Amino acid sequence: MTYTQFIDGVFKLTALDLASYKEAQMKRRIDTNIKKHNCKDYADYLSLLSRDKAALNKFLSYVTINVSEFFRNPTQWQTLEKSILPEMIQSGKTLTVWSAACSTGDEPYSLAMMLSAHLPTNRFKIIATDLDVEILAKARMGVYPEKQILNLPHGYRDKYFKKNGNLYHISQEIKQCIEFKQHNLLKDAYPKNVDIIVCRNVLIYFTEEAKDSIYHKFSQSLAPNGVLFVGSTEQIITPQQYRFDPCKIFFYKKK
C-alpha cells in the first residue's frame, strides 16, 4: 500500500483529508506512529486503525498537532487587547468570537479572560472548535499544568484559576463563556457573522490549496469589519484576494 492509498483509507474511515496537509511533514509523523505500533507497513497500520477505536483516536490526536499554551506570543495578545478590541467594544454589539482549531482550550479561555476584563459576560460569546474529540474533552475540563499558564497576564492566575496539587483548574465563570464543538476546517460549514476569528499556528501544516480555501471561508464567516488573528508564521501574502486589509501585524480586517 502506498502513502496515497493509506491517506485515502484514512479519509474513508474518518473524513479527515490528510491530502490537504503538507506531505513531507505528515508522512514523517505517520511513519513514526507506524514504528511505534510495531506495524509492518501502511496496510498493516490502516488495518489496526480500522479495528481499534482507541488507536484511531490516538492517531487523530497525533496527526492533528495539538500544541498550545495560554496567551501564546504575549505581545500579539497585547495588540488584540489594546488595538483591536477597543473599537469593537465601543460598537455596543454583542461580540461573537471563534477560536478555530482550539486544541486543549488555552486559546478560547485566554480570549474569555481578556474579554471579561472589559465586558460583562453577556456581551460576548466564544465558539471553540477542533477536529479532535479527545482534545475537546480535555479543553472542556479546563485543567492545566503550570507550564501552560506561564504567560498569563498579572493577576489572572489568582482570579481565574484554583490550584489543586500540581494542576490549575480554570474557574466556572470562564468555562461558561465558551461553547466547545467538533469541527473540520476542511469540510464543515463555518459560523456566520463572526467578529473575531482566532486561528493560530494551524494553517502552516496545510497545503497552499487548502489554505486558500480556508482563508476564503474565513472571510465569508466574518461580519463586516471583522478581524482574523493568525499565528507568527502565517502572514497572508496577498490578503486582498480574500477581502482582507492588514490592520496590525498578524491581524486582518474584512473589507
Side-chain angles (χ1 to χ4, degrees):
M1 176 179 281
T2 65
Y3 173 75
T4 301
Q5 289 170 326
F6 174 79
I7 63 174
D8 285 345
V10 169
F11 182 76
K12 291 173 184 172
L13 195 60
T14 66
L16 174 62
D17 184 9
L18 295 180
S20 293
Y21 291 75
K22 292 178 180 176
E23 181 174 328
Q25 287 178 320
M26 186 54 64
K27 193 171 184 297
R28 280 197 301 271
R29 295 178 72 84
I30 291 169
D31 289 349
T32 298
N33 233 27
I34 287 172
K35 292 177 183 175
K36 182 179 176 181
H37 285 85
N38 297 313
C39 293
K40 298 191 297 290
D41 50 27
Y42 290 125
D44 193 21
Y45 189 41
L46 184 61
S47 176
L48 172 67
L49 298 180
S50 300
R51 66 179 187 270
D52 188 330
K53 182 75 172 183
L56 179 61
N57 287 335
K58 287 181 180 178
F59 167 75
L60 291 173
S61 293
Y62 184 71
V63 298
T64 50
I65 307 128
N66 293 296
V67 178
S68 191
E69 63 188 52
F70 284 80
F71 293 94
R72 187 175 182 180
N73 309 117
T75 56
Q76 295 169 26
W77 286 88
Q78 290 167 17
T79 299
L80 174 63
E81 184 170 28
K82 304 299 183 185
S83 300
I84 305 298
L85 283 181
E87 182 180 345
M88 291 186 170
I89 290 170
Q90 289 169 12
S91 72
K93 67 181 293 191
T94 297
L95 300 180
T96 300
V97 183
W98 177 20
S99 173
C102 69
S103 188
T104 53
D106 314 50
E107 183 176 273
Y109 288 133
S110 296
L111 288 163
M113 287 185 281
M114 177 179 286
L115 285 165
S116 66
H118 300 279
L119 288 169
T121 55
N122 64 357
R123 279 276 314 278
F124 67 87
K125 62 178 182 178
I126 298 172
I127 305 163
T129 65
D130 203 277
L131 177 66
D132 186 339
V133 291
E134 287 195 345
I135 285 295
L136 285 170
K138 290 180 181 178
R140 290 187 184 99
M141 288 175 62
V143 179
Y144 299 93
E146 186 172 23
K147 66 178 182 179
Q148 280 180 250
I149 64 170
L150 292 177
N151 286 326
L152 284 177
H154 179 71
Y156 277 30
R157 182 184 299 192
D158 291 340
K159 185 173 183 180
Y160 296 119
F161 289 85
K162 182 177 181 180
K163 189 175 183 184
N164 188 348
N166 294 321
L167 297 173
Y168 290 80
H169 297 242
I170 201 157
S171 71
Q172 190 61 34
E173 173 192 2
I174 294 301
K175 276 187 175 184
Q176 67 187 13
C177 297
I178 302 165
E179 179 187 7
F180 288 100
K181 299 193 297 187
Q182 187 182 25
H183 183 270
N184 186 335
L185 283 170
L186 295 170
K187 74 178 188 68
D188 291 338
Y190 284 29
K192 298 295 184 185
N193 295 313
V194 178
D195 297 291
I196 303 172
I197 296 175
V198 184
C199 186
R200 308 175 69 229
N201 309 301
V202 175
L203 299 191
I204 53 172
Y205 301 106
F206 287 97
T207 64
E208 292 304 313
E209 292 79 8
K211 282 193 285 188
D212 179 68
S213 173
I214 290 169
Y215 285 138
H216 276 296
K217 290 177 183 177
F218 278 157
S219 178
Q220 294 163 8
S221 178
L222 284 167
N225 298 312
V227 171
L228 172 64
F229 178 15
V230 301
S232 301
T233 58
E234 295 171 325
Q235 287 179 270
I236 305 173
I237 304 302
T238 54
Q240 294 77 15
Q241 67 176 308
Y242 309 111
R243 296 176 59 203
F244 289 145
D245 276 334
C247 50
K248 294 287 181 180
I249 187 168
F250 311 120
F251 293 87
Y252 299 88
K253 181 180 283 191
K254 181 178 177 179
K255 295 179 183 179

